[in-house]
Structures are given as C-alpha cells and as structure tokens.
Amino acid sequence: MAKKSRPRKLSVYLYIPNIIGYIRVLMNCFAFYICSSNKKLFSVLYFISFVCDAMDGWFARKFNQVSTFGAVLDMVTDRISTACLLVILSQVYRPGLVFLSLLALDIASHWFQMYSTFLAGKVSHKDVKDSTNWLFKAYYGNRMFMGYCCVACELLYITLFLLAKNQNENLTKVVVEAAKQSSALAVLLVLLLVGWAIKQTVNFIQMKTAADLCVDYDIDKKQKA
C-alpha cells in the first residue's frame, strides 16, 4: 500500500492565509515607518492589517489550510504590532507607564497561555473548556464577544493616537476634552473603553490561570520523580 506523500514545505509557506500574514507584516512595517509623518494613513493601514487578522483565519478554515506556522505568524504579528503602538503611545502621553504596563501584561499573558497550552498537550491556546472562570470561557468561546473586545481595544489605541496633538499629552485631559467636544465621540469612547477593560481583565485572568497550570505541572513532575 503506497504511503501518502507529505506536503512539501514550500506549499505550507504559500498557503493563502500565510500569504495574507506576509502582507500584514509588510503593511505594518510601512505603517510604522510613516506613523509620525502621516497619522491618518498609519491608522488606516494599521486597522486594515488588524482586519486581515480575521480574514486569514477564515481562509484557513475555509480552504482547510490551518497550519502551526500560520497560527504562530498570526500571533507574533498581532503582539508585535500592538506592542509597537503601545510604545508610541507611551512616548506621546503621560503617564507613559500606563501603556508600558499594558504592553507587559499583553506579552506576559499570551506567553504564559501559549506555554501552558503546550504543557497541557492542547492544540490551541483558545481551548479553555476546562477553565472555571466564566468570563475567560465566554471570551474564547464566543467569537463575536472576543471580536468586540479585540476591535474595541485596537480602535481605542488608534483613537488615542489620532487625538494626541503634541508630545507629553495628559491622557485623562485629552480623553475628557474629546468627549466634551462630540457626543458621538463620547459614546464611541465609552464603548471602546468597555471592550478594552474586558480584554485587559481577560489578559490578567489568562496570565494567572496559565501561571497556576505551570506551577501545578512542576508539582506533579516532582511528585512523580
């Protein structure tokens, strides 16, 4: 009986979702290159790249082209692009430590979650069916809910970037003044802040849950030794 031939390595790299991922990387590189000279174009390119994050996942499932490389490329692109924007915001607003703290939480929570997923032998870091936290399960279990939180978070950062007129802006003052100028913008900011707050809460829960799993793994390993 003839063995099935393994797909060539090059074909995996050329999966449609992965090509979208490469486009996202190039788009982000150009966006950050012109961020100081053309804030509006940067914001448009950054958001398009973010939207493409959902598109590559849809194409991966549609054409059965889900790959580990694509998933890693997707997450690395997300984390780096968000990290770069948070660094920029930390230089524009004061206190800048707010944005650097958000950056640290984002990286730490996802790193812990990925590593704990590996230890648990799961295929995806989004597999949290065994979690006892209702918010954590609702976030990863409902695509619409997770999508709202992610979009709100990224749009909030883009909005703050566009609102900043000078260096060392006072974060609270800029947000309050923007809300006073337009009722529509005030409503938008509230919606974005709610989604952002939920996502940061989930990040903290994710980090704590994943850290506990790593500790439990060490304890079990020592007991079996």
Side-chain angles (χ1 to χ4, degrees), residues 62 68 111 117 157 175 201 211 216:
K62 178 71 174 179
T68 302
W111 175 254
T117 299
Y157 295 153
V175 173
T201 303
D216 291 340

Side-chain angles (χ1 to χ4, degrees), residues 47-108:
F47 187 71
I48 291 175
S49 173
F50 175 73
V51 172
C52 286
D53 180 26
M55 288 177 57
D56 61 15
W58 183 85
F59 275 110
R61 292 185 293 273
K62 178 71 174 179
F63 297 105
N64 193 27
Q65 293 185 340
V66 177
S67 66
T68 302
F69 170 76
V72 173
L73 176 66
D74 198 38
M75 176 174 282
V76 169
T77 304
D78 290 341
R79 301 282 64 78
I80 291 178
S81 57
T82 301
C84 289
L85 183 52
L86 286 171
V87 169
I88 291 173
L89 291 174
S90 73
Q91 300 300 306
V92 174
Y93 287 99
R94 64 178 192 274
L97 185 61
V98 171
F99 297 102
L100 295 179
S101 299
L102 291 171
L103 168 58
L105 176 62
D106 187 60
I107 293 176

Side-chain angles (χ1 to χ4, degrees), residues 16-30:
I16 293 175
N18 295 345
I19 293 175
I20 296 175
Y22 305 146
I23 295 173
R24 289 186 65 206
V25 171
L26 295 174
M27 197 179 299
N28 279 325
C29 288
F30 180 72

Side-chain angles (χ1 to χ4, degrees), residues 125-129 131 133-147 202:
H125 70 284
K126 297 178 182 178
D127 182 1
V128 295
K129 295 174 184 176
S131 175
N133 188 283
W134 67 270
L135 182 59
F136 195 35
K137 293 175 71 173
Y139 179 80
Y140 279 119
N142 189 311
R143 288 185 180 276
M144 292 294 291
F145 181 52
M146 182 173 69
V202 169

